[in-house]
Amino acid sequence: MANPVILSLDDDPAVSRAVARDIRRRYGDRFRVVRAGSGPEALAALREIKLRGEQVAVLLADYRMPEMTGIEFLEAAMDLFPAARRVLLTAYADTGAAIDAINLVDLDHYLLKPWHPPEEKLYPVVDALLEAWSSSPESTATELRVVGHRWSAPSFAVRDFLARNLVPYRWLLADDPEGGRLLAAAGASADDVPLVVAADGRTLVAPSEAELAGLVGMSVAPAADFYDLVVVGGGPAGLGAAVYGASEGLRTVLVERLATGGQAGQSSRIENYLGFPDGVSGAQLTDRARRQALKFGAELLSTREVVGLAEAGSARLVRFGDGGTIAAHAVVLATGVSYRMLDAPGLTEFTGRGVFYGSAATEAPSCVGEDVYIVGGANSAGQAAVHFSRYAARVHVLIRGADLTASMSRYLIDQLDGIDQVTVHPHTEVVAAAGDEHLQRLTLRDTRTGERREVDASWLFVFIGAEPRTGWLDGVLVRDERGFVTTGPDLVAGGQRPPGWSLPRDPYHLESSMPGVFAAGDVRAASVKRVASAVGEGAMAVSLVHRYLETQ
Ligand SMILES: Cc1cc2nc3c(=O)[nH]c(=O)nc-3n(C[C@H](O)[C@H](O)[C@H](O)COP(=O)(O)OP(=O)(O)OC[C@H]3O[C@@H](n4cnc5c(N)ncnc54)[C@H](O)[C@@H]3O)c2cc1C
């Protein structure tokens, strides 16, 4: 396979030659350096590279160019090579534009010109970007192909897993000629889907999540038996704890059952997270946080569900659902919440075949020109309505209450008001679903009059109240009546320390009823259900872990 490309774009021929020379000197043996003198020329080169099936690792673009600015180029290049790392070259006077571009094109870095000596100013930046790129699944899996049926729940599960873990893939229908050819080559039939074909030709038929994770190079097995800190759950709170734990010298492993990013990873645009005035997608935030955690040396395990927690002297034991245990001095529980299932006849049958929980971003392009139904009145439902309105003919938001004001932020209500295709249906609930191979009809009920009506619907996305799913902590930790983990001062509310508490001090702020086990983010009783607070609690839990370890 051809070496991956580093593309440098500058309209000044002298600067362009100098950049290419510096890059080639250090990376020429492993990467092909492509030089372009204008944005359109560089885009043409990228299209050709794409057609040849080659990869692009890094894009370096000058900011100020006549036909197309570097930012415009990087934005267009993202459509062709979303995983390539992006660097803007600027003069000092243009740093404002570069800072703006951090949000607009998810810029990885901006470099001030001139950067001599390159050993100090250029290579460390490019080294870090190449390392990030080559350790990402994208670098090995760009040619991953998935063959399946449009309305198959297992095919959806595979695509959803890959999308949530930011692994690019090509989706082929089993009855398309190319899909058929791949099935034949793998010795499989249309009944064997989903079929997953890796770039090197390895195939998996109807794989489990762990098999898929292994295929795309994600870690599934811990490197050690004992850690300073085990973080359970890879949403914002868990990633925050992993970044702070590892950066402060704790040997840290994070265990995630599905995909890092948690609920935030499903958000199409988080607009209220500090430092991102133009919003940031959950996928971008997750990718950055993952890289940050890995950079500091945290281990990230995927597709491993934790089902048990126990005390063994000063160690805390964490047990996996598929067997095996790891031990640590301390544990941060950051398992967040999961959507409640909507309970109505027919809905279970069509889950993954028209009925989806959470945003299921993979499905958005398939909704073009069709009607989409969204159940829920909180911010997550509002964001999904905005997102789907870019694809669907109409988006119907179904809520039981009279309006959205009690449950949704003002900025989202205003956005929805401004989108013609979105209609909010108050006092409405889904009471039945029907169809043949997939969802085709919904029965809606007016909660005031009881009147029912049937609508044609192929797409239903459900965003209703979330629950913590902490049943595995029954009898192990004190939880509130809804299953959220009780921590800190709430454990000593009646003046009594929790049953079994063995230390001559009260639990620390985020500490659970088992010393050394902390809870952070949405899973914690009375926590604020926000990305910023989850990240903050992850960081705070680590400082309390340090305090706990000092007194051991
Ligand atoms: C669509 C959507 C949009 C949102 N938009 C916003 C927004 O704009 N602004 C905002 O501030 N907030 C937003 N939120 C809320 C925000 O995402 C959450 O408050 C935040 O993600 C909570 O982080 P967390 O780490 O505590 O939990 P989660 O994000 O729920 O992550 C928990 C993780 O733990 C894993 N896990 C659970 N149990 C186990 C186990 N036993 N073993 C291993 N792993 C386990 C889960 O798979 C999950 O990845 C949104 C939520 C959704 C769903």
Side-chain angles (χ1 to χ4, degrees), residues 233 236-237 256-257 262-263 272 306 335-336 339 383 522 529-531:
E256 166 58 47
R257 71 166 176 205
Q263 299 166 71
N272 55 0
V306 171
T335 51
Y339 284 110
Q383 285 179 10
D522 282 13
K529 309 293 187 262
R530 288 281 181 271
V531 176

